[in-house]
Amino acid sequence: MAHMGVVNWSVFAALVIMSMVAWYYTIMKAIKYARINGRAGAVTSAFWQTSNAQEAIRFMEEQPGWEPFSKIALDCAQSAAHHQKSEGRLSEALNRSEFIDRALRQAVARESASLEDGQTWLATTGAIAPFVGLLGTVWGILMALVGLSASGESSIKAVAGPVGEALIMTFIGLFVAIPAVIAFNYFNRNNRKLIGQFDAFAHDLHDFFATGARVGGDKR
């Protein structure tokens, strides 16, 4: 590395920054998913096991701000209450079911989008880090060959050292990209699973707040 020029140092700095940000998102998202998955079943079960809607809403209001299922339920409850207060005017444009459905779609879309934080960076890092490293390698080999040509050296020993040093940049690029790709695929799978749970919960909420009964559940 003592022989690296401005270009290779720039490539190295770019890879370090990409790696640091990718690991930041990986750690933060891993903690986020662990918290959400750890509470998802308990939150949804407790909501349906409460004796009435008011108690269920009160339970959801007590949940932490990062918990997505409670925010979806509260948005649904607020839309139902708003429609009921403005029923005379609002029912002319949208019935209760349609109004609640719109609120639920917006809530699910918002919480689904929040799961995507950092995904673009992980995908980009996994896709371009090897090429960034390859750029450093190609430039390093080019400079090494130019230097060898100027010095008149032609032995394999003279070529191997500079070329080997240049290949380190490709290794660093792969070292940055592989964990990012693994993290992206893992989080993408978790996203699909959670979005499916959001949709199922929103469907039950729609039935409950629009008709007063959950499909397959008792009327409250």
Side-chain angles (χ1 to χ4, degrees), residues 66-147:
W66 51 262
E67 207 290 310
F69 291 93
S70 60
K71 290 194 283 186
I72 293 172
L74 289 174
D75 281 6
C76 182
Q78 289 170 3
S79 68
H82 179 72
H83 188 277
Q84 185 174 1
K85 291 178 182 178
S86 310
E87 194 167 2
R89 303 184 306 274
L90 205 53
S91 59
E92 297 177 1
L94 292 172
N95 61 38
R96 183 181 179 87
S97 176
E98 291 172 338
F99 190 74
I100 292 174
D101 182 66
R102 286 183 60 184
L104 281 170
R105 287 179 185 274
Q106 291 174 356
V108 169
R110 182 193 64 229
E111 297 306 318
S112 299
S114 71
L115 296 177
E116 299 292 330
D117 291 345
Q119 291 288 94
T120 300
W121 186 273
L122 291 174
T124 302
T125 299
I128 71 171
F131 296 102
V132 174
L134 184 60
L135 172 63
T137 293
V138 171
W139 183 261
I141 291 174
L142 176 62
M143 292 297 99
L145 293 177
V146 170

Side-chain angles (χ1 to χ4, degrees), residues 1-72:
M1 294 181 68
H3 302 288
M4 284 169 35
V6 175
V7 173
N8 271 0
W9 273 113
S10 299
V11 169
F12 179 74
L15 289 172
V16 169
I17 292 171
M18 291 170 68
S19 180
M20 290 176 64
V21 178
W23 275 108
Y24 168 79
Y25 280 124
T26 298
I27 294 170
M28 297 305 294
K29 286 175 72 67
I31 294 172
K32 179 179 181 178
Y33 285 119
R35 295 163 77 188
I36 293 175
N37 289 323
R39 294 180 63 89
V43 169
T44 54
S45 297
F47 179 86
W48 297 120
Q49 290 170 5
T50 51
S51 58
N52 55 65
Q54 289 71 30
E55 185 179 340
I57 293 170
R58 192 178 307 112
F59 171 78
M60 289 300 184
E61 289 175 341
E62 294 172 354
Q63 301 307 306
W66 51 262
E67 207 290 310
F69 291 93
S70 60
K71 290 194 283 186
I72 293 172

Side-chain angles (χ1 to χ4, degrees), residues 47-48 50-54 76 80 84 96-97 100 203-220:
F47 179 86
W48 297 120
T50 51
S51 58
N52 55 65
Q54 289 71 30
C76 182
Q84 185 174 1
R96 183 181 179 87
S97 176
I100 292 174
H203 178 77
D204 288 343
L205 287 171
H206 176 270
D207 293 335
F208 177 66
F209 283 99
T211 67
R214 177 191 178 193
V215 174
D218 295 326
K219 186 176 181 178
R220 301 182 196 179

